[in-house]
Amino acid sequence: MALFPAFAGAGEPGETPASGSEGSRRELDWLSNPSFCTEDALKLHQRAADLTPERSQLISRSPSRSELSGRSNTSEDLKQSTKKRKGKKKKHHHHKKRKKKTREESSNSESGSDSECMKDKPRGSDTNHEREAATLNLEDITSNGVTSRFVWLEDIQALTAETFRTDKNPDPANWEYKSLYRGDIARYKRKGDSCLGIDLKKQRITWESSMVEKKQSHKQPERYFTKNSVQLLSTDGISVYSKSQTSSSGPSTFIPVSQLDSDAPPTTTSVNPLGIYDPLTTLWLQGKGPSEHETLKQQASQETSENVNSILKAKVEEYNRMVRENPRDVHTWMEFVSFQDEIMRGPSPYAIKEGEQEIRRKSFKLILEKKLAILERAIESNPNEVDLKLAKLKLCTEFWEPSSLIKEWQKLVFLHPNNPVLWQKYLLFCQSQFSTFSVSKVHGLYGKCLSTLAAVQDGSMVSHPVLPGTEEAMLAIFLQQCHFLRQAGHSEKAVSLFQALIDFTFFKPDSVKDLPTRGQVEFFEPFWDSGEPRFGEKGAKGWKSWMHQQEKGGWIIINKPDEDEEDVAEDQEIKDKTLPKWQIWLDIECSREKRHWLPWRPDKTKKQTEEDCEDPERQVLFDDLGPSLIRLSSPDLQFQLLYSFLQFVGVPCGHSLFPSNLYIAMDENNIFDTGQSERPLTSFDSLLSGVNSIGHMDTMTRGRQHIGHCKEGEEFIQNVFHLMLPLFSRKENANLSVCWLQYEISKVVQCLQAKNKKKLKSQGKKSKKLAKNLLKASENRNNLSLWKLYAYLEWLLGNTEDARKVFDTSLCLAGTEGMRNIQLCNLSLLYASLEVELLESFEETVMSRALHILTKLAESGPYVPYTGQVLSVNILKARKAYEHALQDYLTESPVSNWDQASSSSQLVNLVGCYVLFQYLTVGIDAAVLICRHISEKLKGFASQKFESIGENLGIHNFPTALEAVTLMHTNLLRYHMKVSIYPLNPLREALTEALKLYPSNQSLWRSYIQIQSKSHNASKARRFFDRVTRSTKSLEPWLFAIQAEMMRKKLVENVQRVDVGEIYSTIPETGLTNRIKALFEHAIQSENGAHCPLLWRMYLNFLFSLGNKERSKGLFYKALQNCPWAKVLYMDAIEYFPDQLQETLDLMTEKELRVRVPVEELELLLED
C-alpha cells in the first residue's frame, strides 16, 4: 500500500507505468522504500533549495494526461477507503471543507488545463515544498505539486514527535464573528477562582460565570403559596416535649425550658482547645461515632413520623370495622368521608417508596374519587338514605356535566317526592344552573314541587308518608318562590301569589274546607277569574263572601271612577334626553319598577278590557298561580304567611325569613346602614335588612332613591290592613296595628336620615293622623304599645314636650300593676332611655326625669309626672324592689312558663329597667355587673329553651332573652363611651362574646365594625373574624369582615387625598386590596355565599372601583353562573359596562327576566 494515494501509480514496484521516463520512476522509488530515512530527505531538501531560482522557468511543464489518468485509476480504491475514514469523524470545520473541495477538483484534473494547475499551486502548504525539494528531477517536482496535498499524516508509517502541519490560509469567519470557533478552543475545567503568577494583593481576576450558573442565580425564591411550599406546610411537625417532665405533674400551660449555667467555664480537650465545638463535632474529631443517647433521639424522631402514619392506619381500620359491623350507621359513613381530607394532608401511610409518597401527595381529584367510592358503598348498604345521595351529587358536580346532574336529581326527586329538604336543594340547583336556566322553567318546577308536597300532605300519594315539618317547609318553599320572582323582575306574579294564597287561607268558605288541596284550588279558580276585587284591592271582600253571594245570586258593584294623574307621570319618564342611552334606560326601568309592581286589572268603571293593557306581562293568569297554592292549617304558619307578605312590601313587623332562603333573597346593601348611631339606646332597626322590598330595585351605586311606595302602593297597603284587622282577635289586631304604625315611623326615620325636611313634614302629618285614628278605636284605647309608638313618633318629629305629655298620659292609664305589666315596663324603658339620651353630661343623671320614671315603676303605685329631684329613700326602695323582682322571676318562675314569647320579653324589659336604674344611680360598672350576672344565668337553660320555642313557632332568628340582654349591654356601653371617657376594651369583649353566641345578629356586627374602625390595629379584629367564619355557616361574618376592610381602605384613601381630589401614595396601602379580594373569594366559595346576590354585587362593585374593567366583566359572568335569576346583577352590569347594553338586554330576554323597557321602545321615546 502506498504512503501517498496520489503517487500510487508511480510508487508500486514491479509495475510498468503507463507513461513517463525511467528517470522519473527512479526519483519516486523512495516513496515505497521501507528503509527511508530522514537524513536523505534533508539532503534532497537542501539540493532543492539551491535550484529554486530555476523553478520559474520550468514551472510550465506538466505530466502527460495518460500518466495522470493511470494514476487516478490505480488510486480509486484508496480514495474510497479514505472517504470512509473521513465519514467517521464527528465534525468537519470550515477549512477542512475547503480542503475537501480542492481534493475533489484535483482528482478530476485529468481533464483540466495547465492553467488550473497554476492556480492551485500557490495554495499549497509547506509540506508540499518539502516534497518538491526531495525530488531529483525538477520537472517531476513540478508535476507532482498538485497531488501532494492529498497525503495524510495518519498514513505515514514512521511518525516522529515533531510531525505537524501548518495551515497558512486565512479563515474569514474569524473576521466575521470576532472570535475563534468554540470547537477549535480547548476545553478545561477551572478549579478555584485564582490564577497562578498574579499578585493577590494588587491584582484580581473576575471569571465570567457559565450559562448554567447565570440561570441559577436568576432563579427567584419560592413563595409560600407554591406547590413545594404548600407541601412543606402540610407535613406534620415534630412534637415538642420535655424529657424531664414527668407524667405525674399533669398538663402544663407552657413548655419548661431548662436553664443552663452561663457562668460555668467551657470544657477544653486536646481536640477542642477553645471549647467552642459541640459534643457531636468533638466526637467526630476524635474519630468516634455518636453516643447511644443521640442515636435514640434520631430513632425517636423517625418513630414520631411512623407513629403518625400508624395512627392514621389505625383510624382507617377502625372506620372500616365500624362500617362493616354497622353498615346502617349513616353518621359513621359521613365521618369516614370527611376523614379522607385528613388522610390526604400528607403522604399516604400505605405508600412504600418515596416516589409513591410524592405521587400520592394531596390531589383534589384523588380525594373526590375516594369519597365517591365510599359514598357508593354507603348507598349500597342504605339505598333509602337521602343524605348520602345528596352528598354524592354534591361531589359529582366536579365530574359530571349539568345535563347528567339534572337527570340524577330528577331520579332522586322521583324516588323521594315526600322529602321537602330534597326539593329545596333541587330547586336551588336548577335555579343556579346558568346553561339550563329560564324563569318559566324554574317557576314551573316550584309549582310542581308544591303540588306534589300538597298531594303528600293530603294523603293522595299513598306510596309515600308525610314527613314531620312538611307544612312549614312548604311555606318556606312558597316564600322562596315569591322572592325568586321578585328578584327576576316579575313583581306582579309575586304579589299575585301572595294575594291568592292569603285569600285561599284566610277567606276560605266552610263548604270546601274538607276537600283536598286540588279540589279547593278548582273552586278557587272561578273566583280569581271572575274580575272581583282581590286581596289588597279597593272594595275587596274575599273568596268566602263572593262564594256566599254567588249562592244567593251574586252582586254588582259600580264605583265612581277616581281621577288619577298617571298619564302625567307617564309623560315625564324621560327628564333629560341629553343623558347617555344606558342611563336613560336605567331611569325608566327603575321608575316603572317603582310604579308597576302591582298586577294590572281592567277597570270596569272605565270600561277597560284586557286588550287595553300596554304591557301584557303585567297581567297574571291563574295557570301561573294554581300549582303553587297550598293548605296551611297551623295558625302560627298562617300568621307567618301574613307577616312575611307585610315584610315583602316593606312593612317592618319583627319576622324574618326562614334560614333556608334568607341568603338567597339577600340582595340589598342596607345591611350595613348604622341608622341612628347617635341614639344607641333607642335605635330603630328593621329585622329584615339586606332583603330588598318590592318596588325598590336599583343599581348598587345609586341605591334607594325614594321613601315608601307610590300612591297606588300606599293605598294597597292601607287596604290590606283594613281588610285584615277585623278578622282577628284583640291580641292579633293589636299586633297588626303596631306593625302599621311601625311602617309609618320607618318612613319618618328614612326622612330624618335623608335630611328631607319637606318630605318629613308631610310624612309626619300622615303618620300622626294614622296614630290618632288607631287610638280612637275602642279596642286600642288602652293599648300601651300604640301609645308608646305615638309618643316615640312625636319625639322623632322634634316635639319633645308633646311626646312627654303622651308618655305621662299613657303611664297614668296603666294603673298600679308596676313591673308585672310587660307593656308598662317596655313603655317606661323607652321613655327613660329617650330622657337619658337628652343628658349632656353624666353628672346630670340624679336630676333627670329618667330616674323619676324608673323609680315610679318600681313603686307599683299611680304615676305622678316629674316635679323635681328624686328622694334618696325612694331610690333605695326602688333598688330593693328591682332586686327582689328579678330574683323572684329567675328562681320561682317555672321553665314551662317561658314557652311563651311574652315571658321572655317581660324578663328583658325588667332587666333593662334595672340596668338603666343602676347606671343612673351607681354607675356603669354596676350596670355591667347586672348584665353579666343575668347572661350567666340565661346561658345555662333559658337560651336553649327560647331557641326551641322559635323553631316550634316557625319563627326563626327569634330574638332570645340572652341575645336581647347582650344587645342592651353593648348599647349601654356605646352610649357611656359617647358621653364620658371610658376604655374601649370592655365593649369589645362584650361584643366578641355575644357574636360567638349569635354570629348572625346584624345589630351586633354593626356595632363591632363601628368600634373597630376607630382602632389603628386591625390584627385583633381579623383574627376574630377568622375564628367566627370557621365556626359558623352564617354569611354575616363574611359580609361584615369585608365591610370592615373596605372601611379601612376608604380611611387610608382619605388620608392620601388632598384638596384637589388627587391621590398620592404617601402611605402604603398595606395590601388591603388583595386582602379584600381574598375575603370575597373565600366567601363566595362557602355554601351560603355562592348563591347570595348581595355578595356578588359587592364583589363586582369593588372590582369595578379598582378600574379593572376586563376582570370585572369576567366576574360578572361568573356571578351569573351562580345567580342567573338576579336582575339587579344585570342592571349593575349595564351601569359598569354601558357599551354592552344591547348584549345584556338580549341575555335578560333569553333567560326570560323581566325587561320593562325594550330597546325598541326606548328608541321611540328618544325620537319623540
Side-chain angles (χ1 to χ4, degrees), residues 36 50 156 263 327 340 421 509 695 976:
F36 173 76
D50 296 338
I156 300 177
D263 297 334
Q340 303 308 311
V421 178
H976 184 68

Side-chain angles (χ1 to χ4, degrees), residues 600-601 608-619:
W600 187 87
R601 299 282 310 281
Q608 290 181 346
T609 60
E610 294 181 354
E611 287 76 13
D612 295 331
C613 183
E614 297 179 355
D615 189 358
E617 291 288 334
R618 294 187 63 192
Q619 300 184 50

Side-chain angles (χ1 to χ4, degrees), residues 79-92 96 99-101 103-104 150 152:
K79 290 179 186 177
Q80 294 295 332
S81 62
T82 307
K83 287 181 181 179
K84 288 180 182 178
R85 222 179 276 117
K86 289 188 293 179
K88 293 180 182 178
K89 294 185 181 250
K90 291 183 179 178
K91 291 183 180 179
H92 297 283
K96 291 185 179 181
K99 291 180 180 179
K100 179 180 177 181
K101 184 177 179 182
R103 289 196 297 270
E104 291 174 354
F150 287 93
W152 299 93

Side-chain angles (χ1 to χ4, degrees), residues 294-440:
E294 298 296 333
T295 309
L296 290 174
K297 273 188 178 180
Q298 295 178 0
Q299 291 178 358
S301 62
Q302 294 176 0
E303 289 174 359
T304 304
S305 59
E306 292 177 0
N307 289 336
V308 172
N309 288 342
S310 62
I311 291 171
L312 290 177
K313 287 181 182 179
K315 284 186 178 180
V316 173
E317 293 174 0
E318 179 67 18
Y319 276 118
N320 283 322
R321 183 188 60 79
M322 291 168 64
V323 298
R324 184 174 60 252
E325 294 176 355
N326 190 7
R328 300 289 183 182
D329 190 358
V330 179
H331 182 66
T332 305
W333 282 109
M334 299 299 288
E335 283 185 351
F336 193 19
V337 171
S338 302
F339 179 68
Q340 303 308 311
D341 296 326
E342 184 178 349
I343 290 182
M344 296 305 296
R345 286 176 187 167
S348 171
Y350 302 102
I352 301 173
K353 302 176 182 178
E354 293 183 359
E356 189 177 352
Q357 286 187 351
E358 291 298 324
I359 292 172
R360 291 180 60 87
R361 281 288 182 182
K362 64 178 180 181
S363 168
F364 184 59
K365 190 175 181 181
L366 183 61
I367 298 175
L368 293 179
E369 289 175 351
K370 195 164 185 181
K371 287 181 177 180
L372 194 60
I374 296 172
L375 286 173
E376 288 174 352
R377 282 178 52 202
I379 292 172
E380 289 177 4
S381 304
N382 305 275
N384 295 325
E385 285 295 335
V386 180
D387 293 338
L388 295 174
K389 296 178 181 179
L390 286 175
K392 179 185 174 182
L393 282 175
K394 187 176 180 180
L395 285 178
C396 290
T397 52
E398 303 291 336
F399 297 101
W400 295 353
E401 295 293 328
S403 57
S404 304
L405 278 172
I406 290 175
K407 290 180 182 178
E408 289 297 321
W409 272 106
Q410 290 173 350
K411 291 179 184 177
L412 190 57
V413 170
F414 178 77
L415 292 175
H416 307 278
N418 61 335
N419 193 322
V421 178
L422 180 62
W423 274 108
Q424 284 182 331
K425 294 183 180 295
Y426 173 54
L427 289 170
L428 180 59
F429 172 78
C430 295
Q431 190 173 325
S432 57
Q433 289 295 315
F434 179 77
S435 57
T436 59
F437 169 80
S438 68
V439 173
S440 60

